[in-house]
Amino acid sequence: MTDLARLDGTDRVLGIVRLALLVVVAAIQPALSLPVVDSTAGWAAFGALAGVTVTAACWVVRGRPVPLPVAVPLAVVVLAASTVATWEVPPDELFGGRHWSFGLAGWHLLVLLVDRAALAATALGALVVLTLARVATTAPTDRGEIGRVAIVVLSVISFQLATLALTRLVHRRARQAAEAAAERDRQAQRKALAEQQEADQRIRFAGQLGATLPLLAAMADRTLDPRDDTTRQRCVLAATQLRRLFAENDDVPDPLVHEVSACVDLAERRGLTVALAVSGEPTPVPTEVRRELTAPLVTALVAARTQARVSVLRTGEEVRVAVITDGEPGEAPASSPRVGVECHTLGARLWMEAKWRSEPS
Amino acid sequence: MAFGTELTAVVIDDHPAVRAGVVHWLSSGSPPIKVLAEGEDVRVAWIGDGARADVVILDLHLNSTTPAMGDLRRLTEAGRRVVVYSMRADDDIALQCLELGALCYLTKAEGDEHLVEAVRAAGGDRAYTPPSLAGALAGDRSERRPALSARETEVLIEWFQSESKEFVAHRLGISPNTVNSHLERIRIKYAQIGREAPTKAALVARAIQDGLIGVSDL
């Protein structure tokens, strides 16, 4: 799962909450408030709140939060409408059946600001303060009256605050769950990739064994005689190729020189005197290219009789692997579009070079 | 070295076997090179008979893990002709030694032919470029490296790869003498970018005298 998709997942939770709040507002406003609105100012406040609901719906039904530049003015409208409606209610009816705006306006604020917990809490606080201001102006003296107001305000506002808090909690948990799921996905992906690579490597390895398997098969079938020089030469070739192939999979800082050294090592074990010279800074060389660079070296070393000089040169633009031996010029590996192979003889000496341009000039 | 007199050398190496080998190689050449002194410490090049030797053969690691670059600098600044003979085959060290004024950098993997030739060349204020050094010069990617011509680079690469000047000459369709003069010109170019050292001045003067470079090339 990508990060974008994960965010979509958690945003969907918030989208559902917003939609639910919108439905609540759209349902309770006409159902509970409509019958008790009486004054002109009350109707204006009712209309303003209905307008806020409709405006907010433009975003909410599409699963998006109301943008901040829209939500803040709308919240102000809600607070204003609520204040107007509150002032229209006779003092003895405050928080009673005719005080329709108090329970309602808080839900409007939540629809607008549920994505911004701090702003939502502030707006709800402002709503309570504005409403209580009306209570203060009527200066109730009855203790029972004050207690009743407090209970109503607390029950309404705490319900709305609890909704807000729960929404944030669910949102956070959803995000954590999504992140955990994404991490699990990533791990699964890495594992699958590693398995694929291993499988690929096995296949490649089998492909590289090409020269060895027919040789072994032919010797097992006795169609090849191990005493024969040609057979021995083929064995040397297979052994060198294998040795190089093993080196290819080693984790070393300079793989090219490591592979070249592996070939040299085998030639030395056969009793050849081999000088290896390396110059220039190590350059990253792709595995395929390394294979092509060392192929002429393997051929030349197998053909060498007593001595060889092997050189690896890295300049800024190119990598060259060259070998000079006292062997017979065998069949040199062909050049490829990437690696140019040159072969040259002078007297009893055979010179072979594989060259790779690391940077197009 | 005055004309007709024997070329002399001093050998500094902390391994007695190496010293013995070098002395043998030098003295069995034709004409032989006389070793005036040998020792495990650079002092033999400063005091006694060694102070008079034409060429100093210096091992870079003398009973220490850090290369004796300071000793090399002091010797070249005093106008001594130094051939560095080292175990180390890394390019950086080789290039540093050239910059400090060594006339040749040889690795111990390279044989007597190269050493004797390097000492002879140094005796005549000439630089000698063995194949491994040619590789270091060809692979040199440092910012200060001199601009080499395509042919000069080819000569370096072929010489590094083949270790045979005849082979290089044959491959490039030039004479072995031309191979040598290319190698010498390359070394003059390197000498010019290096720090001031009397041996370098002598090297450049020699190159002008031999007609390898003109004064206008400087």
Side-chain angles (χ1 to χ4, degrees):
Chain A
M1 197 197 273
T2 64
D3 283 359
L4 207 65
R6 197 184 70 216
L7 284 176
D8 276 0
T10 54
D11 282 354
R12 207 172 300 133
V13 174
L14 274 181
I16 290 166
V17 171
R18 275 194 299 268
L19 197 62
L21 287 169
L22 186 76
V23 170
V24 165
V25 166
I28 65 172
Q29 188 172 355
L32 298 181
S33 310
L34 207 50
V36 291
V37 182
D38 44 11
S39 67
T40 319
W43 278 114
F46 185 88
L49 288 177
V52 167
T53 310
V54 172
T55 315
C58 297
W59 284 278
V60 172
V61 292
R62 281 181 293 162
R64 302 203 192 130
V66 182
L68 197 61
V70 179
V72 171
L74 286 184
V76 173
V77 169
V78 170
L79 290 173
S82 161
T83 310
V84 169
T86 301
W87 250 261
E88 279 303 301
V89 178
D92 56 332
E93 297 267 358
L94 276 175
F95 301 103
R98 293 184 60 198
H99 191 184
W100 58 271
S101 69
F102 179 60
L104 184 65
W107 296 113
H108 281 88
L109 291 175
L110 281 182
V111 170
L112 295 172
L113 299 170
V114 73
D115 296 274
R116 301 165 180 96
L119 262 182
T122 314
L124 286 174
L127 179 65
V128 171
V129 169
L130 286 170
T131 313
L132 288 179
R134 171 62 177 154
V135 179
T137 57
T138 63
T141 45
D142 186 357
R143 271 196 184 178
E145 181 62 20
I146 294 171
R148 192 181 64 81
V149 167
I151 288 166
V152 173
V153 169
L154 270 178
S155 59
V156 169
I157 211 72
S158 57
F159 187 36
Q160 288 167 347
L161 282 175
T163 305
L164 181 66
L166 265 171
T167 306
R168 301 313 302 175
L169 187 71
V170 169
H171 179 238
R172 195 179 315 139
R173 284 287 145 81
R175 183 169 283 261
Q176 284 167 352
E179 274 165 8
E183 180 54 34
R184 232 185 1 258
D185 283 352
R186 274 198 294 274
Q187 273 175 2
Q189 208 170 22
R190 274 199 292 269
K191 191 163 169 256
L193 202 68
E195 279 168 3
Q196 183 62 46
Q197 274 173 347
E198 200 189 312
D200 284 354
Q201 201 170 49
R202 224 173 270 150
I203 292 166
R204 274 207 309 273
F205 221 79
Q208 292 286 304
L209 288 175
T212 311
L213 295 179
L215 179 70
L216 288 176
M219 287 207 286
D221 296 343
R222 300 186 184 206
T223 49
L224 273 183
D225 184 356
R227 287 165 301 186
D228 191 36
D229 270 349
T230 325
T231 310
R232 285 212 289 263
Q233 189 120 2
R234 280 180 64 182
C235 288
V236 171
L237 178 70
T240 315
Q241 282 176 340
L242 278 179
R243 181 75 178 79
R244 202 209 64 82
L245 186 61
F246 296 150
E248 183 179 298
N249 291 293
D250 292 341
D251 188 16
V252 289
D254 195 343
L256 178 65
V257 169
H258 182 64
E259 286 167 29
V260 168
S261 306
C263 300
V264 168
D265 178 50
L266 211 76
E268 283 176 333
R269 281 196 217 176
R270 279 172 45 225
L272 261 66
T273 309
V274 187
L276 170 63
V278 179
S279 262
E281 286 163 41
T283 323
V285 183
T287 310
E288 292 294 322
V289 175
R290 291 205 309 272
R291 220 170 267 160
E292 289 183 33
L293 279 173
T294 45
L297 171 69
V298 171
T299 316
L301 283 180
V302 167
R305 269 194 293 266
T306 60
Q307 53 178 307
R309 176 179 165 86
V310 179
S311 63
V312 178
L313 178 67
R314 278 91 43 120
T315 63
E317 307 83 40
E318 55 189 21
V319 176
R320 294 167 183 244
V321 177
V323 56
I324 187 157
T325 71
D326 56 356
E328 292 290 317
E331 200 180 321
S335 294
S336 79
R338 287 179 299 197
V339 175
V341 179
E342 264 192 82
C343 192
H344 189 82
T345 47
L346 177 66
R349 269 180 297 187
L350 167 70
W351 176 91
M352 254 193 231
E353 182 200 58
K355 181 163 72 175
W356 173 63
R357 282 202 88 76
S358 52
E359 285 169 13
S361 57
Chain B
M1 185 183 72
F3 181 77
T5 57
E6 201 175 32
L7 182 62
T8 56
V10 52
V11 182
I12 305 157
D13 196 298
D14 55 343
H15 289 102
V18 172
R19 291 202 299 272
V22 170
V23 170
H24 173 72
W25 283 347
L26 297 180
S27 58
S28 52
S30 165
I33 298 161
K34 191 176 180 194
V35 177
L36 296 182
E38 45 143 316
E40 56 171 18
D41 195 278
V42 79
R43 274 178 300 186
V44 294
W46 292 109
I47 47 179
D49 290 341
R52 290 186 288 111
D54 297 319
V55 180
V56 180
I57 298 162
L58 176 70
D59 178 19
L60 272 191
H61 289 268
L62 300 164
N63 292 318
S64 153
T65 48
T66 49
M69 292 302 197
D71 286 324
L72 171 61
R73 187 173 47 78
R74 281 185 284 280
L75 285 167
T76 58
E77 278 173 2
R80 304 296 293 270
R81 307 163 180 122
V82 184
V83 169
V84 176
Y85 190 50
S86 170
M87 281 292 289
R88 294 185 60 162
D90 37 328
D91 299 346
D92 286 349
I93 292 275
L95 294 174
Q96 265 184 55
C97 288
L98 295 195
E99 191 172 304
L100 288 175
L103 286 169
C104 181
Y105 185 95
L106 266 169
T107 61
K108 285 184 182 165
E110 283 162 314
D112 57 336
E113 271 173 71
H114 293 298
L115 182 67
V116 172
E117 210 169 326
V119 174
R120 284 229 168 83
D125 280 327
R126 281 200 185 83
Y128 179 74
T129 310
S132 69
L133 185 56
L137 298 181
D140 184 7
R141 277 186 250 169
S142 62
E143 303 221 325
R144 298 191 56 201
R145 69 181 186 278
L148 301 182
S149 71
R151 181 39 66 100
E152 285 167 345
T153 309
E154 269 181 296
V155 167
L156 280 181
I157 292 172
E158 296 283 343
W159 174 223
F160 171 61
Q161 289 181 343
S162 68
E163 230 180 4
S164 154
K165 284 181 183 160
E166 291 73 43
F167 195 89
V168 177
H170 182 77
R171 284 265 307 151
L172 300 179
I174 51 180
S175 76
N177 274 338
T178 316
V179 173
N180 274 330
S181 60
H182 274 301
L183 290 174
E184 286 180 47
R185 278 184 65 89
I186 293 163
R187 292 299 304 278
I188 300 302
K189 286 186 175 180
Y190 264 88
Q192 279 173 255
I193 58 148
R195 287 172 217 174
E196 281 309 316
T199 42
K200 287 205 163 153
L203 171 61
V204 175
R206 184 70 200 233
I208 295 172
Q209 201 181 349
D210 291 358
L212 261 169
I213 53 167
V215 180
S216 56
D217 293 332
L218 297 174

